[in-house]
Amino acid sequence: MTSTDTAVVGKLSPLDRLLPVWIGAAMVAGVLAGQWIPGLGAGLDAVAVDGVSLPIALGLLVMMYPVLAKVRYDRLDTVTRDRRLLLPSVILNWLIGPALMFGLAWLLLPDLPEYRTGLIIVGLARCIAMVIIWNDLACGDSEAAAVLVALNSVFQVIAFGTLGWFYLSVLPGWLGLPASDLAVSGWQIVKNVLIFLGIPLVAGYLSRRLGERAKGRTWYETRYLPKVGPIALYGLLFTIVILFALQGHQITSQPLDVARIALPLLAYFAIMWAGSYAFGKAVGLSYERTTTLAFTAAGNNFELAIAVAIATFGATSGQALAGVVGPLIEVPVLVALVYVSLALRRRFATVTEE
């Protein structure tokens, strides 16, 4: 790591610099809490609003608000004009990503149809939440991330059910493979987007608009944002603890199955992130927008994937277990890729996006 990279990492708070340690500890704490505290998992899962676990929803809202409060909404037009960013993002997220997960699931889990179906559902659920955290930690473009996440949300509402039908029923039939059925509620998808993106997005927009109007942009960015910024990581760690408390028993009781599910997930995250990163650099995007493209393409909406798998196949199904293993692999892998991204920063010349 060069002195420039060291300076970048050195600007991170102790919480940021040791994030992999805290995330690992949060995972362990969640699993142990779910195992050692009688009835904790059932109790947490029972506290839900219309099928959405209230503790997880609370953690995600707290996690996303500070990051969306940082976005300069008056600069979003500079992102929407950048076709080098928008078109590749749509293609990577809605054509390449689902197709890649379909191929990896069939290649590596040919004898495990339930897990295979669960992974295909994960591949269809494009990220609208945690990717904003990874992008922010890697010093990506906050405005670009907000636009790409909004695009993913729109496409998720429109395309998730159709793509599920295609990849689980139609395409396997064309290829002479066994088909599956996926009953997806359109309202489940809309609700997921409105809760996990809409609420913090509106709160972040209003915070900036009202804060700048009352005390100016300098106060807002130098006084207010530094105070609320750390809350995002506290929300992330809280969410991880709750998630693994709810699903820890499934993970610890089937370690070999978890290992087999993890293999295609590892391949997927590596291929999607590295391919997107290489493409961004090849077409001349800046470091910030290349990083945003890579993380928004590699991340997945595990909340939606788990909800759909449970609603369609049941909480104890193999499809649901595959959805749960998703964040188990995604969180540490994408945290590691934050550090990889920062290390690669020196390879980019300073570019001003117009």
Side-chain angles (χ1 to χ4, degrees), residues 126-212:
R126 312 312 301 168
C127 196
I128 65 168
M130 282 192 176
V131 67
I132 295 179
I133 289 284
W134 315 136
N135 178 75
D136 193 54
L137 289 173
C139 301
D141 187 318
S142 297
E143 288 76 27
V147 169
L148 297 187
V149 163
L151 272 179
N152 275 353
S153 301
V154 172
F155 274 90
Q156 202 156 101
V157 172
I158 295 172
F160 186 92
T162 301
L163 288 174
W165 167 74
F166 176 75
Y167 279 105
L168 293 175
S169 299
V170 177
L171 185 56
W174 290 353
L175 300 175
L177 302 170
S180 303
D181 292 322
L182 179 64
V184 181
S185 164
W187 168 238
Q188 179 69 46
I189 300 170
V190 172
K191 178 181 64 179
N192 185 270
V193 171
L194 290 176
I195 291 175
F196 297 125
L197 177 65
I199 293 174
L201 181 62
V202 170
Y205 173 79
L206 291 177
S207 293
R208 179 171 280 278
R209 187 173 182 85
L210 298 177
E212 289 187 356

Side-chain angles (χ1 to χ4, degrees), residues 195-247:
I195 291 175
F196 297 125
L197 177 65
I199 293 174
L201 181 62
V202 170
Y205 173 79
L206 291 177
S207 293
R208 179 171 280 278
R209 187 173 182 85
L210 298 177
E212 289 187 356
R213 180 181 297 175
K215 296 193 175 182
R217 175 164 291 185
T218 299
W219 173 87
Y220 183 83
E221 295 190 344
T222 61
R223 301 288 297 276
Y224 180 74
L225 288 181
K227 288 183 178 180
V228 301
I231 297 174
L233 293 181
Y234 300 145
L236 171 64
L237 296 176
F238 173 80
T239 302
I240 291 170
V241 170
I242 298 299
L243 182 67
F244 283 88
L246 289 171
Q247 307 295 343

Side-chain angles (χ1 to χ4, degrees), residues 27-37 244:
M27 289 178 174
V28 173
V31 171
L32 293 179
Q35 294 288 318
W36 292 350
I37 303 177
F244 283 88

